[in-house]
Amino acid sequence: MPVSENPETASTLATPVRKVLIGVTGGIAAYKVCEVISSLAKSGTEVRVILTQGAQAFIAPLTVATLSRHPAYTDNRFWQADRGKPLHIELGEWADVLAIAPLTANTLAKLAWGIADNLLANTVLASTCPILLAPAMNTDMWEQASVRRNWQQVLDDPRYHPLEPGAGILACDRVGAGRMAEPPQILAHLESLLHTRGQRDLQGKRVLISAGGTREYFDPVRFIGNPSTGKMGVALAQAATHRGASVTLVCGPMAGELREMLPPIKTIAVTSAEQMQNALLEEFPAADWTLMSAAVADVRPATYHAEKLPKRLLPSALPLASVPDIVAELGRRKQPHQKLIGFAAQTGDIVTPALEKLEKKQLDAIVANPIDRPDAGFGSDTNEAIWLDSRGNRRDFPPCSKLQLAHYLFDAIAFL
Ligand code: C5P
């Protein structure tokens, strides 16, 4: 069959200049935003920064100007852009995405009520781009009824994309909610918004994702496993959530810092293939789209020893038993409205075995990705892949971040 061109996916593969405007308000978490600004600038994204008066008590205009490679905007400057337009209009028209981080209770109230008494608040009103909000404040402030009301009010406006604060030790020594989202979470959400332009095109979709590798133990400390980290599955969960889907993630053992990257979704942690199968069979009937990015074991040790085997008793050969093929079972149970996407991590020729699995496992599509290249596969932050679907379409996705690839894949699934 001929390769069909999906115009939406094709256009997103071009990399136009990305323009991000960051609004920093007066909270101690402002120091963390320097990392966001620096990472964006280093990645080739154009960054402009507005500092409110309060923000300048925490970080200096010179700091953000140096990191963003552009003078910082403050209320002290005459509000006239170089080309003569009022500055808030020029900045509002310039930005693809605006992120306000940290967002204080004071600026939140301005957003909720449409108050425009400084450059940042005026720019919000003079722009139409999506706005990412990363609040940070003391727990009592965050839980205050007036703040809850204002937060709910902005959430009701689809223009605003929330990055809820986490819980932890705050700078006021309080332990509780109010910690600003970490820079990697802010960067991931910004990348999603740059891709979607704020569209929540998966709203109403229930997406089930499996991630990571399984471990098949033969005693309490030894197992058959694989190097899968779960990064691709986490990227899929982020992309789907950022696009408005309701996401459930079934994941094998995963590093703590990767788990922290997960948006607030239903997560079921499992260890073995059997546990993964049980969780997926339970969740599958409620899912519209299921993506099996997990590297599930193909075999397990035939016997399990409840006590750790002493070294001298370790067998020289390990009898193996087969593991159920989870995705093949899901393929058999699939209803007409459901889409099932498999992954095939391969070395050498990645297409032929993937096409065989596509058919044998009754998948709607399979994502073949090489694991013998330096910047793709297990553990890497980047990936490359070939999409092959049951309609005969093929798309080659060049090396890109796993989150970017996740967005390309959701664009392609929408066309199935
Ligand atoms: O391991 P293999 O390359 O066959 O994996 C292809 C697809 O099948 C992947 O989506 C993987 O998650 C799934 N799989 C499974 N159960 C297994 C082995 C693989 O669901 N026991």
Side-chain angles (χ1 to χ4, degrees):
M1 254 197 211
V3 173
S4 81
E5 273 301 315
N6 162 347
E8 200 160 302
T9 308
S11 68
T12 55
L13 290 176
T15 45
V17 179
R18 296 142 48 108
K19 293 174 285 184
V20 174
L21 181 60
I22 308 266
V24 186
T25 71
I28 182 57
Y31 85 93
K32 288 205 254 180
V33 173
C34 295
E35 195 180 325
V36 174
I37 297 166
S38 170
S39 296
L40 287 169
K42 282 186 200 155
S43 73
T45 304
E46 279 193 36
V47 195
R48 305 281 184 270
V49 184
I50 300 175
L51 296 174
T52 63
Q53 199 64 39
Q56 290 168 67
F58 294 96
I59 52 173
L62 184 59
T63 311
V64 298
T66 311
L67 294 174
S68 68
R69 289 77 163 146
H70 193 277
Y73 296 101
T74 65
D75 289 327
N76 301 334
R77 252 180 76 147
F78 186 51
W79 286 14
Q80 193 86 22
D82 298 340
R83 277 171 285 161
K85 264 192 194 174
L87 189 53
H88 56 297
I89 313 270
E90 172 115 335
L91 286 171
E93 288 175 355
W94 174 86
D96 293 328
V97 177
L98 166 57
I100 306 183
L103 173 70
T104 55
N106 184 40
T107 299
L108 170 62
K110 292 181 194 180
L111 301 183
W113 294 96
I115 293 168
D117 65 348
N118 62 16
L119 178 59
L120 177 61
N122 273 278
T123 306
V124 167
L125 294 185
S127 59
T128 55
C129 63
I131 303 181
L132 181 65
L133 299 178
M137 63 195 79
N138 157 276
T139 307
D140 287 330
M141 294 173 81
W142 179 241
E143 288 172 355
Q144 204 60 238
S146 55
V147 174
R148 310 287 350 121
R149 273 198 304 275
N150 288 341
W151 184 239
Q152 192 50 52
Q153 198 151 314
V154 297
L155 294 189
D156 290 342
D157 182 340
R159 197 180 168 205
Y160 293 110
H161 296 260
L163 248 181
E164 297 269 348
I169 304 179
L170 308 179
C172 53
D173 281 336
R174 177 81 188 265
V175 180
R179 259 178 86 92
M180 190 179 75
E182 295 301 322
Q185 292 170 310
I186 297 175
L187 288 164
H189 210 127
L190 276 173
E191 189 169 332
S192 287
L193 292 176
L194 286 166
H195 182 89
T196 61
R197 301 289 153 138
Q199 293 302 308
R200 290 179 173 87
D201 60 338
L202 302 189
Q203 198 139 37
K205 283 265 176 295
R206 290 160 306 173
V207 176
L208 176 61
I209 297 164
S210 74
T214 61
R215 290 181 183 180
E216 312 301 324
Y217 280 87
F218 71 93
D219 77 6
V221 295
R222 303 182 181 97
F223 59 86
I224 297 179
N226 60 67
S228 174
T229 55
K231 280 187 183 172
M232 190 64 226
V234 169
L236 289 165
Q238 288 175 324
T241 309
H242 297 162
R243 290 166 79 144
S246 154
V247 179
T248 299
L249 180 75
V250 177
C251 59
M254 204 182 264
E257 64 265 29
L258 189 58
R259 196 176 281 274
E260 278 168 19
M261 290 294 289
L262 281 171
I265 54 169
K266 180 176 176 185
T267 304
I268 305 170
V270 297
T271 304
S272 67
E274 191 188 351
Q275 291 169 351
M276 184 168 275
Q277 181 178 35
N278 292 341
L280 287 168
L281 291 182
E282 177 139 353
E283 297 295 325
F284 186 64
D288 298 310
W289 296 353
T290 299
L291 295 97
M292 278 290 296
S293 68
V296 187
D298 297 308
V299 288
R300 63 175 174 79
T303 47
Y304 177 74
H305 303 268
E307 301 291 333
K308 183 185 171 189
L309 281 177
K311 216 183 256 179
R312 65 190 158 78
L313 292 185
L314 285 177
S316 57
L318 193 63
L320 299 175
S322 64
V323 156
D325 192 320
I326 306 171
V327 82
E329 179 58 31
L330 299 181
R332 283 189 283 276
R333 297 179 182 211
K334 191 174 60 158
Q335 300 299 309
H337 73 277
Q338 293 182 302
K339 303 275 175 243
L340 181 59
I341 320 301
F343 283 70
Q346 301 288 157
T347 54
D349 168 21
I350 64 170
V351 173
T352 315
L355 282 172
E356 280 165 18
K357 287 175 195 173
L358 174 71
E359 198 174 309
K360 200 170 120 214
K361 303 189 187 212
Q362 301 179 59
L363 305 172
D364 294 286
I366 193 152
V367 182
N369 74 294
I371 49 170
D372 52 0
R373 304 209 184 138
D375 293 320
F378 297 132
S380 168
D381 287 326
T382 54
N383 214 351
E384 61 178 285
I386 300 177
W387 160 275
L388 302 154
D389 70 35
S390 56
R391 299 210 216 147
N393 298 317
R394 170 182 169 152
R395 290 204 58 79
D396 292 47
F397 296 116
C400 58
S401 74
K402 286 187 169 169
L403 182 57
Q404 190 69 62
L405 178 63
H407 280 295
Y408 294 151
L409 296 178
F410 284 117
D411 291 344
I413 299 170
F415 270 81
L416 276 174

